[in-house]
Amino acid sequence: MGDIIHAIILGIVEGLTEFLPVSSSGHMILTNKLLGIAADDQAIVTFEIVIQLGAILAMAIVYWDRILDLFGLSRKTKSLGTFSSGKHKGRKLNLIHVALGIVPAMLLAFLLKDIIKGEGFNQTPVLISLVVGGIYMIAAERLQKSRRIKVVSETMDDISYKQALGIGLLQCLSLWPGFSRSGSTIAGGMLTGTSYKAAADFSFLMAIPIMVAATGYEMLDNYKMIEGDNLMFFIVGFLVSFVVAWLVIVLFLRFIQKVRLTHFAIYRFVLAALFWLFVMS
């Protein structure tokens, strides 16, 4: 199963990569390989689900006021942090936007679940997706920078239903393990005419329901592994993933203007090289 040091390392990797456009699945496969952990061990599979839950909890806490606002339960009317100017031209993000953003990927994931679990996590598809996802992110950023795609939504509250659906459809790319959910949605937002900031904000908000559904579904088949000698391993991983993910989200939102998608794409290429060297050779 692994020791507490392994739990800490895997928790850090999950927290660092889950919400950044760098592919958490690619990182977890590489990390397991370097640590000598069998990635197909059922206890490790369950552990990865648990630490994902830690990351989700961190995201939910950061976005708590906005979540309440979606249900009309918050007195705050502005969007999160630096992302909201309050000038949303009469529109305001609501549950329909979120539904349009998450339903396409969730529906396709349900229909293709056997294929994704079977072939999707094989080494070659993950390696290719790391590279293809990086190219996709660079293309989205360059198209917007060249003004071939006009930015019509500066904040998350400016996003239209059409844009939300477009982002949702492009999020389906993330079903290819290694592609990155946040990478597909942030780049997808930019391709549909949102600013980098608005796309990231919407991507992070969508992550909560889609990840809760995915991890909850997986947990139904794996919860029995959380018991006995493994319990402390799971607790440590969960707590580490939660703390690291919270720090990553807060720092990313604060410094998003200084870290472009191209920077993450280059990192993905480096990761692909390491993946090929240590996992596939």
Side-chain angles (χ1 to χ4, degrees), residues 177-209:
F179 204 92
S180 170
R181 192 206 61 80
S182 59
S184 66
T185 51
I186 294 174
M190 296 173 73
L191 288 173
T192 61
T194 75
S195 69
Y196 180 28
K197 295 187 296 182
D201 208 12
F202 187 52
S203 172
F204 283 3
L205 186 64
M206 285 193 302
I208 299 170

Side-chain angles (χ1 to χ4, degrees), residues 66 69-70 92-99 157 161 202 205:
R66 191 64 203 230
D69 192 48
L70 285 173
K92 188 175 182 181
L93 195 82
N94 57 50
L95 288 173
I96 297 177
H97 290 93
V98 176
D157 279 319
Y161 291 144
F202 187 52
L205 186 64

Side-chain angles (χ1 to χ4, degrees), residues 126-140:
V126 172
L127 175 63
I128 295 172
S129 69
L130 285 169
V131 176
V132 174
I135 295 172
Y136 163 74
M137 288 158 57
I138 290 174

Side-chain angles (χ1 to χ4, degrees), residues 147-185:
R147 297 187 178 180
R148 294 181 186 178
I149 297 176
K150 184 179 179 181
V151 176
V152 296
S153 300
E154 290 290 347
T155 74
M156 184 166 61
D157 279 319
D158 296 326
I159 293 176
S160 67
Y161 291 144
K162 182 178 179 180
Q163 287 174 314
L165 178 59
I167 295 169
L169 292 172
L170 288 169
Q171 184 172 209
C172 292
L173 292 170
S174 67
L175 299 179
W176 183 1
F179 204 92
S180 170
R181 192 206 61 80
S182 59
S184 66
T185 51

